[in-house]
């Protein structure tokens, strides 16, 4: 198992300055000293919300309708999924990354003792493909599930989702298993300080930093950049003395004790994996090894393949084991998909009570598996086209401002970037010319460099089509060029051909 390099040059502004590659040796010297980390004062995190608009099937008093809303306590509320992300300052992020590598090495050593557990945990790990030419990704993990269903033919896929996973992790259990991974009875001082930083964290809301009518104070940020600081404040003291509220983790369990870790830190993923280890072990020992039940876990998404006669037994066992580690299975997100031969082909059925709904797919890692075909999840494809249209609309606004500013009758849209992002013309990896600007000694220095472009969403779709042996995926995106051209023609661009 290979490890990623712990050092990463992060470009975002925070409460401490950037740490470019040129200072790597100094950073490594500091954080590789356990005494330094044991005494290190971690900065507040920055909190932001990522909103994902969802158009999904919801129950409205017995009627199932696709909508952006759902009924909750008798009221229609938005279906929008809100993900809370907290991210650290640059030096703190390096410490988290460095200790992630240490923990990952211990975790992988533990997994080598049981190949079933190692094969079952797929998220946040560097796993080589069988041909050993690249690392596995979501497509490979989905293929493992779909191939196993094809091999079993008559089986049931049970999909479970842990409710509020990262915010619900029990601190005491986390500390105990963290120490167990290190082979210690108690955490060493440096690890204990990192543990305290991820459990008793403080944070500032990103929106609270937008003090100029909902925007950042660009003049103030520019002043700091000229001093060589990519920060929101000149020093942490300025943050403390400002009117900005520094919040503390307030999530508590039923006993009134703090719980949860931030989602977004470099160390969050490995902590989630080691926390779930007792659950993974119980599933493998009691279900896989005894009853040949297939198990896979991607973070908090759990998939189990079993026989129809085993559904109740598996559901009860999973629920009990997840409660043993102080977590809860989300009942509304639990899905039961039955696979069996029907009309001469393997087909999916969604089990709802005693009713089987024909041709309702298994949704897993962005794909819909029907038994006889595999498609990209419809909402992901809709998101791709929505992004395309939003990008062109924003470009049109900029063109209109240019026309107004310079009194032009016509103005072109620069289509190369649009084509690169949203058409077959952007599927290839390539180097793109780019510029990086920074202040040194109060002077602006612009450096040119080549940025690696790794391809667009269509490249992902084409590769998924090949890896999953599903030509129907390419058919899903075959109209992308027509949709792109039709969107361009909606706006008044001088270099868009009219039919």
């Amino acid at each position: 198992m290979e490890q990623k390099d712990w050092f990463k040059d992060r470009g975002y502004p925070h409460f401490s300055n950037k740490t470019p590659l040129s200072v790597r040796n100094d950073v490594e010297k500091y954080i590789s000293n356990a005494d330094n980390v044991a005494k290190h004062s971690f900065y507040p995190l920055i909190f932001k919300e990522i909103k994902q608009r969802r158009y999904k099937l919801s129950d409205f008093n017995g009627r199932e309708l696709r909508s952006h809303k759902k009924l909750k306590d008798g009221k229609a509320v938005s279906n929008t999924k809100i993900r809370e992300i907290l991210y650290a300052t640059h030096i703190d992020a390096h410490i988290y990354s460095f200790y992630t590598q240490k923990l990952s090495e211990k975790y992988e050593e533990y997994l080598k003792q049981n190949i079933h557990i190692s094969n079952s945990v797929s998220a946040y790990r560097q796993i080589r493909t069988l041909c050993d030419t690249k690392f596995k990704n979501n497509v490979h993990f989905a293929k493992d599930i779909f191939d196993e269903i094809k091999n079993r033919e008559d089986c049931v896929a049970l999909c479970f989702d842990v409710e509020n996973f990262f915010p619900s992790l029990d601190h005491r259990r986390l500390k105990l298993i963290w120490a167990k991974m290190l082979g210690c009875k108690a955490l060493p001082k440096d690890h204990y300080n990192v543990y305290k930083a991820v459990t008793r964290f403080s944070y500032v809301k990103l929106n609270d930093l937008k003090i100029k009518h909902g925007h950042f104070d660009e003049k103030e940020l520019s002043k700091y950049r000229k001093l060589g600081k990519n920060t929101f404040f000149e020093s942490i003291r300025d943050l403390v003395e400002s009117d900005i509220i520094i919040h503390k983790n307030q999530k508590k369990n039923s006993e009134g004790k703090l719980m949860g870790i931030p989602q977004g830190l470099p160390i969050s993923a490995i902590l989630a994996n080691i926390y779930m280890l007792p659950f993974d072990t119980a599933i493998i020992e009691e279900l896989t090894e005894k009853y040949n039940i297939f198990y896979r876990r991607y973070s908090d998404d759990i998939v189990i393949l079993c026989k129809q006669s085993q559904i109740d037994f598996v559901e009860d066992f999973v629920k009990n084991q997840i409660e043993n580690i102080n977590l809860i299975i989300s009942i509304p997100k639990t899905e039961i998909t039955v696979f069996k031969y029907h009309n001469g082909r393997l087909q999916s059925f969604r089990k709802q009570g005693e009713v089987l709904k024909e041709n309702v797919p298994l949704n897993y890692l962005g794909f819909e598996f029907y038994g006889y075909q595999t498609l990209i999840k419809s909402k992901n494809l809709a998101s791709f086209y929505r992004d395309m249209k939003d990008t062109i609309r924003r470009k049109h606004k900029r063109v209109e401002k240019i026309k107004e500013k310079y009194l032009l009758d016509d103005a072109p849209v620069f289509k190369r970037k649009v084509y690169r992002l949203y058409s077959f013309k952007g599927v290839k990896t390539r180097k793109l010319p780019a510029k990086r600007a920074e202040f040194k000694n109060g002077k602006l220095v612009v450096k040119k460099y080549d940025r690696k472009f790794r391809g667009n969403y269509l490249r992902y779709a084409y590769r998924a089509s090949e890896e999953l042996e599903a030509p129907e995926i390419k058919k899903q995106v075959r109209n992308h060029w027509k949709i792109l051209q039709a969107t361009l023609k909606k706006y008044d661009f001088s270099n868009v051909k009219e039919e």
Side-chain angles (χ1 to χ4, degrees):
M1 188 68 58
E2 294 188 25
Q3 297 285 353
K4 286 185 178 179
D5 185 10
W6 60 269
F7 189 91
K8 184 178 179 182
D9 184 5
R10 297 168 173 87
Y12 54 74
H14 213 292
F15 304 131
S16 73
N17 203 8
K18 288 195 299 184
T19 50
L21 196 58
S22 59
V23 299
R24 175 180 175 137
N25 290 339
D26 294 334
V27 171
E28 187 169 7
K29 185 178 178 181
Y30 176 77
I31 68 176
S32 59
N33 186 321
D35 291 336
N36 289 338
V37 176
K39 296 181 290 186
H40 181 79
S41 296
F42 287 84
Y43 288 81
L45 308 172
I46 290 181
F47 169 94
K48 70 175 182 178
E49 290 182 340
I50 297 177
K51 295 183 179 181
Q52 294 176 308
R53 180 185 175 200
R54 295 190 295 181
Y55 183 71
K56 58 187 290 188
L57 205 61
S58 301
D59 185 277
F60 290 91
N61 297 323
R63 291 181 63 199
E64 286 195 336
L65 301 170
R66 285 200 172 274
S67 173
H68 290 296
K69 296 189 176 183
K70 62 182 177 183
L71 277 184
K72 187 176 182 180
D73 300 326
K75 295 181 179 179
V77 296
S78 174
N79 256 333
T80 300
K81 183 177 182 179
I82 299 175
R83 194 182 299 276
E84 297 180 349
I85 302 295
L86 295 105
Y87 57 100
T89 63
H90 301 272
I91 186 63
D92 293 354
H94 288 313
I95 293 174
Y96 291 133
S97 294
F98 189 76
Y99 277 77
T100 294
Q101 193 174 76
K102 286 187 172 187
L103 267 176
S104 295
E105 288 169 359
K106 297 290 185 181
Y107 180 65
E108 293 300 333
E109 285 176 16
Y110 187 91
L111 292 188
K112 285 179 182 177
Q113 299 171 27
N114 190 317
I115 191 64
H116 291 305
I117 299 178
S118 182
N119 289 339
S120 298
V121 182
S122 49
Y124 317 129
R125 298 173 64 205
Q126 294 276 83
I127 305 173
R128 286 273 180 185
T129 57
L130 290 175
C131 60
D132 200 31
T133 57
K134 55 187 175 182
F135 295 112
K136 285 189 174 184
N137 56 30
N138 287 8
V139 179
H140 300 100
F141 300 140
K143 188 177 190 301
D144 289 344
I145 299 283
F146 303 157
D147 285 349
E148 184 66 22
I149 292 172
K150 290 174 184 176
N151 289 334
R152 296 189 176 220
E153 295 182 352
D154 191 359
C155 66
V156 177
L158 292 99
C159 296
F160 303 96
D161 188 90
V162 180
E163 196 171 282
N164 295 322
F165 183 45
F166 285 94
S168 300
L169 299 189
D170 182 276
H171 291 173
R172 180 177 168 275
R173 286 186 174 276
L174 177 63
K175 184 166 67 170
L176 289 173
I177 198 160
W178 191 332
K180 181 181 178 181
M181 279 292 104
L182 299 175
C184 307
K185 289 185 178 179
L187 289 175
K189 290 182 179 179
D190 55 330
H191 282 267
Y192 182 64
N193 197 30
V194 177
Y195 161 78
K196 286 195 298 180
V198 299
T199 54
R200 304 176 195 172
F201 58 91
S202 59
Y203 62 91
V204 171
K205 293 182 178 179
L206 184 65
N207 286 339
D208 289 348
L209 297 170
K210 298 178 180 180
I211 57 177
K212 288 288 184 180
H213 310 293
H215 298 280
F216 296 122
D217 188 340
E218 293 296 342
K219 282 188 177 181
E220 199 72 8
L221 296 180
S222 177
K223 183 179 77 175
Y224 300 147
R225 282 196 293 269
K226 287 178 181 178
L227 296 172
K229 296 181 178 181
N230 190 31
T231 57
F232 287 109
F233 294 91
E234 189 170 353
S235 68
I236 192 66
R237 182 182 294 277
D238 291 340
L239 168 63
V240 175
E241 293 176 353
S242 72
D243 294 331
I244 303 292
I245 299 172
I246 301 177
H247 304 267
K248 290 188 176 181
N249 178 22
Q250 296 294 325
K251 292 188 171 73
K252 296 182 179 179
N253 59 21
S254 57
E255 298 173 357
K257 295 180 180 179
L258 288 177
M259 65 177 186
I261 64 172
Q263 186 173 359
L265 301 185
I267 202 170
S268 299
I270 184 61
L271 294 182
N273 269 348
I274 66 171
Y275 187 92
M276 291 293 288
L277 197 50
F279 174 82
D280 297 329
T281 304
I283 297 292
I284 293 300
E285 290 179 353
E286 298 300 322
L287 297 185
T288 300
E289 293 177 353
K290 289 185 178 180
Y291 300 99
N292 191 31
I293 288 171
F294 187 85
Y295 166 64
R296 288 290 185 271
R297 179 177 64 80
Y298 190 94
S299 188
D300 60 335
D301 288 330
I302 298 163
V303 176
I304 292 178
L305 304 182
C306 63
K307 298 174 183 177
Q308 285 198 57
S309 59
Q310 297 171 317
I311 292 176
D312 292 340
F313 163 62
V314 170
E315 277 195 291
D316 290 341
F317 187 83
V318 169
K319 184 182 176 183
N320 290 335
Q321 290 303 318
I322 211 74
E323 287 176 355
N324 284 346
I325 57 172
N326 295 351
L327 295 175
I328 301 171
I329 292 293
S330 175
I331 301 300
K333 292 184 179 179
T334 300
E335 294 180 351
I336 303 174
T337 311
V338 177
F339 289 91
K340 61 182 180 179
Y341 266 87
H342 181 70
N343 294 331
R345 64 184 185 183
L346 184 65
Q347 197 164 323
S348 59
F349 299 80
R350 177 60 49 81
K351 188 175 188 299
Q352 294 181 333
E354 298 302 316
V355 179
L356 288 181
K357 286 195 169 184
E358 185 178 342
N359 225 31
V360 180
L362 164 66
N363 290 301
Y364 188 63
L365 297 183
F367 297 97
E368 297 174 345
F369 183 63
Y370 292 82
Y372 61 91
Q373 70 171 358
T374 307
L375 299 175
I376 289 175
K377 203 170 180 179
S378 54
K379 78 167 190 179
N380 292 359
L381 208 54
S383 178
F384 167 71
Y385 286 122
R386 187 162 57 245
D387 288 345
M388 173 201 291
K389 292 173 181 178
D390 287 345
T391 298
I392 294 171
R393 183 162 56 245
R394 286 195 301 270
K395 281 185 173 290
H396 178 252
K397 282 186 178 179
R398 286 198 291 270
V399 165
E400 288 299 305
K401 285 183 179 179
I402 290 170
K403 286 163 68 174
E404 183 180 341
K405 183 177 179 180
Y406 296 103
L407 303 177
L408 300 174
D409 292 328
D410 296 310
V413 57
F414 295 99
K415 293 181 286 185
R416 181 179 294 179
K417 187 174 181 180
V418 175
Y419 288 164
R420 189 168 64 234
L421 292 175
Y422 301 107
S423 83
F424 64 91
K425 294 186 178 184
V427 297
K428 290 183 180 179
T429 300
R430 66 191 76 180
K431 295 280 188 179
L432 298 175
K435 294 179 181 178
R436 184 183 287 118
E438 58 183 35
F439 282 92
K440 286 190 176 180
N441 300 322
K443 292 183 178 180
L444 182 66
V445 179
V446 179
K447 292 182 179 179
K448 293 182 179 180
Y449 71 103
D450 289 330
R451 177 174 64 86
K452 189 172 183 180
F453 177 73
R454 300 182 182 274
N456 56 20
Y457 185 74
L458 289 166
R459 174 194 174 111
Y460 174 75
Y462 293 160
R463 288 203 166 183
S465 178
E466 293 167 5
E467 293 283 353
L468 296 171
E469 298 173 2
E472 54 270 23
I473 290 178
K474 287 186 178 178
K475 291 180 181 178
Q476 276 186 286
V477 297
R478 64 185 174 187
N479 287 330
H480 77 271
W481 184 256
K482 289 181 181 178
I483 295 170
L484 175 56
Q485 294 302 319
T487 307
L488 284 168
K489 286 171 186 173
K490 280 177 62 179
Y491 300 98
D492 184 24
F493 296 124
S494 61
N495 63 336
V496 173
K497 295 178 182 178
E498 295 290 341
E499 291 183 352

